């Protein structure tokens, strides 16, 4: 794993910046295939590689669970989620085709 090198302005990054940096770095590792589907995500290893403490990594993994990139397994931690199937992609596209025109119309009305 490659370590994240966030920009530092004369000292430690604020906590939220560390959590954001950890989130972005872990997401990039997943999207690039460095962390493969099904891979166990060990907080200690990720924190060491990202050069942050455990807390920002925990927060990043919780956020990534919300995006569907990782799955939390009770009492076992997190794993990288499998890629979407063709049926999942079709369903996602169908829902977006229904929602996006309505959302765009509402946005235009509120401007």
């Amino acid at each position: 794993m490659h370590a994240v090198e966030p920009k530092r302005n004369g000292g430690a990054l604020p906590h939220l910046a560390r959590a954001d940096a950890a989130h972005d770095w872990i997401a990039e590792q997943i999207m690039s295939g460095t962390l493969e589907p099904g891979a166990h995500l060990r907080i200690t290893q990720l924190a060491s590689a990202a050069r942050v403490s455990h807390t920002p990594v925990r927060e990043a993994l919780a956020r990534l669970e919300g995006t569907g990139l990782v799955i939390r397994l009770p009492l076992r931690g997190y794993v990288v989620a499998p890629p979407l199937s063709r049926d999942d992609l079709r369903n996602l596209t169908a829902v977006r085709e229904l929602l996006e025109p309505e959302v765009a119309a509402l946005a235009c009305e509120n401007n």
Side-chain angles (χ1 to χ4, degrees), residues 10-31:
L13 289 171
H15 174 74
L16 289 177
R18 289 190 302 264
D20 288 342
H23 173 276
D24 294 348
W25 179 76
I26 295 167
E28 174 59 32
Q29 299 306 300
I30 293 169
M31 300 300 284

Side-chain angles (χ1 to χ4, degrees), residues 12-82:
L13 289 171
H15 174 74
L16 289 177
R18 289 190 302 264
D20 288 342
H23 173 276
D24 294 348
W25 179 76
I26 295 167
E28 174 59 32
Q29 299 306 300
I30 293 169
M31 300 300 284
S32 70
T34 302
L35 292 171
E36 296 179 352
H40 275 275
L41 301 173
R42 291 175 173 70
I43 292 172
T44 300
Q45 291 173 337
L46 292 171
S48 176
R51 297 182 184 174
V52 296
S53 67
H54 292 187
T55 300
V57 171
R58 283 189 197 98
E59 291 176 17
L61 291 172
R63 284 176 51 197
L64 289 165
E65 181 183 16
T67 67
L69 284 176
V70 302
I71 299 169
R72 187 170 85 56
L73 303 174
L75 303 175
R76 294 178 48 206
Y78 291 90
V79 297
V80 176

